[in-house]
Amino acid sequence: MSRALNFNAGPASLPFAALARARDELIDFDGSGMSVMEHSHRGKVYEKVHHEATALVAELLELPKDYDVLFVQGGASMAFAQIPMNFLEAGKTADYIVTGAWGEKAVSEARAMSKAANGGEVHMAASTQQDKTYVRVPRQDELSLTPGAAYVHCTSNETIHGVEYALGPSTPFPKVQAPLICDMSSDILGRRVDMTQFDVVYGGAQKNIGPSGVTIVIAKKSMLDRGRKDLPAIFQYRTHAENKSLYNTPPTFGIYLVRNTLAWLKSEGGVAAIEARNVKKAAALYDTIDGSGGFYRCPVDKACRSIMNVVWRLPTPELEEAFVKEAEAQQMIGLKGHRSVGGIRASIYNAVEPAWVDALAAFMKDFAKRRG
Ligand SMILES: *Cc1c(COP(=O)(O)O)cnc(C)c1O
């Protein structure tokens, strides 16, 4: 069997080791005579997997003790609504910093939820949309923050536009007074980030963490305590924290695959090691783009270029189509840009192997030579 060179944006490539482990353990999990999917979510066999997955998230992200890790459902898209439902009380304002399409969706859902649930105001604290093209994050002096805001919401990596905050151990998010909530769907665990600057972080698992169907929520316990209590229990993040994500039946097989994926990440040296690899992968593509004499063009400001989703254009839509088609013939999958923006996008998450990226860069050089 030959593995496809999978550059899909999400669901995305999973580590081969995580899949092979699932194959080996599928029929008879841990000598129990059944698969992990068939176990009760209240039984010892599954519980061990569940707690290992939770503990791996906390360990790999170096979370302090006052954070909870939750596995819920509904995707990041449901969190767009559930975050304001829980944390935007009447009489308060939530500030949204929008740097791409996902941030736009978050604002729109917050507005709808605020109306439906008698919540507070939604305020656009900054948007770097310029004629529908997001190419950078706002500067600190561009933020219009509300004093006493319920929270500030941001998207650390905009998956569609390839725009990322340059976060690192010594590069914090711009200073804000209110609790900071971050959609980290597409860059969580891809680089070292000081998680303690965030009060809530959430994301769909299907980029860097595992398969779709699992949503991760990481939250400060004190923030969860402040959430609205007049909501149905299932919608309160508090409920899931109090029940260690076992309030109702969780997506057990998905969480099992998260366990496999994170165990692989740990065995590879954790976030610091994968970050070094990711930075090199991204540089191989950006260097090829910048060295193409203008044949390939990345619209994103250099300081905000994503190391997870690399986007670029070719001189014409016809050439872009030919590029994607020829790449597919060489087993390189998922390079078409998002339908809303066009162009090319290579998603190079943790599980995307450096050799695949090298092959893509070589193909880019060859294509430019032939068609440039
Ligand atoms: C993929 C993605 C989403 C949507 O996630 P779903 O799990 O499909 O709802 C939201 N935000 C970002 C940044 C994403 O990359």
Side-chain angles (χ1 to χ4, degrees):
M1 185 201 74
S2 75
R3 289 267 287 161
L5 282 59
N6 181 358
F7 298 101
N8 276 333
S13 182
L14 287 165
F16 182 79
L19 296 173
R21 186 175 181 184
R23 174 199 59 202
D24 295 344
E25 294 178 344
L26 186 66
I27 304 288
D28 182 7
F29 183 75
D30 220 3
S32 65
M34 45 182 166
S35 76
V36 70
M37 277 178 275
E38 300 165 287
H39 277 275
S40 165
H41 61 295
R42 310 263 175 230
K44 282 208 162 58
V45 172
Y46 173 71
E47 262 183 21
K48 188 163 163 247
V49 171
H50 188 87
H51 295 308
E52 190 185 339
T54 311
L56 278 166
V57 174
E59 180 186 344
L60 288 164
L61 290 172
E62 297 176 25
L63 295 176
K65 287 269 179 281
D66 60 332
Y67 280 77
D68 278 323
V69 175
L70 315 180
F71 295 121
V72 294
Q73 300 190 58
S77 299
M78 195 161 106
F80 291 163
Q82 207 172 346
I83 293 280
M85 190 194 259
N86 276 266
F87 303 119
L88 180 50
E89 57 269 54
K92 289 275 202 170
T93 297
D95 287 344
Y96 278 73
I97 300 171
V98 176
T99 49
W102 291 114
E104 272 180 26
K105 280 230 168 81
V107 168
S108 153
E109 293 295 80
R111 292 207 165 111
M113 178 49 68
S114 162
K115 244 190 219 162
N118 292 321
E121 297 293 317
V122 175
H123 169 67
M124 189 76 102
S127 165
T128 51
Q129 176 187 34
Q130 290 121 339
D131 301 315
K132 279 269 155 218
T133 325
Y134 293 94
V135 295
R136 64 179 184 91
V137 302
R139 297 183 310 270
Q140 176 101 47
D141 67 307
E142 290 176 297
L143 302 179
S144 120
L145 299 169
T146 309
Y151 61 83
V152 175
H153 181 280
C154 63
T155 313
S156 48
N157 179 57
E158 279 286 354
T159 321
I160 292 174
H161 292 88
V163 172
E164 190 172 60
Y165 270 95
L167 303 176
S170 52
T171 317
F173 193 83
K175 203 89 208 102
V176 302
Q177 293 299 321
L180 188 55
I181 299 185
C182 184
D183 173 2
M184 216 178 266
S185 294
S186 53
D187 60 337
I188 190 166
L189 291 163
R191 55 180 176 168
R192 289 163 302 154
V193 171
D194 173 13
M195 298 297 285
T196 63
Q197 62 196 314
F198 301 101
D199 295 79
V200 181
V201 163
Y202 66 91
Q206 67 272 17
K207 279 95 184 205
N208 256 348
I209 302 178
S212 63
V214 180
T215 312
I216 192 165
V217 178
I218 295 161
K220 241 186 204 162
K221 291 176 199 288
S222 59
M223 188 74 183
L224 292 173
D225 285 343
R226 281 172 39 183
R228 263 172 81 158
K229 297 193 172 78
D230 59 346
L231 303 169
I234 187 76
F235 293 135
Q236 295 184 40
Y237 285 126
R238 168 188 300 104
T239 305
H240 300 285
E242 283 169 356
N243 292 280
K244 301 201 178 309
S245 307
L246 290 162
Y247 171 68
N248 65 330
T249 319
T252 54
F253 192 59
I255 292 169
Y256 159 77
L257 285 167
V258 169
R259 190 283 302 256
N260 286 7
T261 304
L262 298 187
W264 165 82
L265 179 53
K266 184 175 168 180
S267 76
E268 292 290 298
V271 177
I274 209 80
E275 177 186 17
R277 197 186 297 178
N278 288 339
V279 166
K280 272 199 203 144
K281 278 153 54 186
L285 297 184
Y286 288 120
D287 288 349
T288 304
I289 293 166
D290 294 339
S292 70
F295 182 72
Y296 300 115
R297 260 178 321 107
C298 172
V300 182
D301 279 11
K302 281 206 172 138
C304 310
R305 286 177 168 183
S306 171
I307 62 164
M308 297 273 95
N309 310 97
V310 180
V311 301
W312 70 94
R313 307 296 312 221
L314 274 68
T316 66
E318 291 72 31
L319 277 169
E320 287 170 346
E321 206 176 303
F323 180 93
V324 170
K325 225 168 138 196
E326 279 194 32
E328 260 171 30
Q330 299 190 27
Q331 293 244 59
M332 298 182 206
I333 304 304
L335 291 167
K336 202 168 155 46
H338 191 267
R339 59 187 186 280
S340 64
V341 295
I344 310 290
R345 170 176 54 175
S347 297
I348 49 173
Y349 302 120
N350 289 353
V352 171
E353 295 177 16
W356 305 355
V357 176
D358 291 343
L360 173 57
F363 167 71
M364 289 169 72
K365 286 177 187 140
D366 175 59
F367 188 89
K369 207 190 285 169
R370 285 186 288 111
R371 309 292 287 266

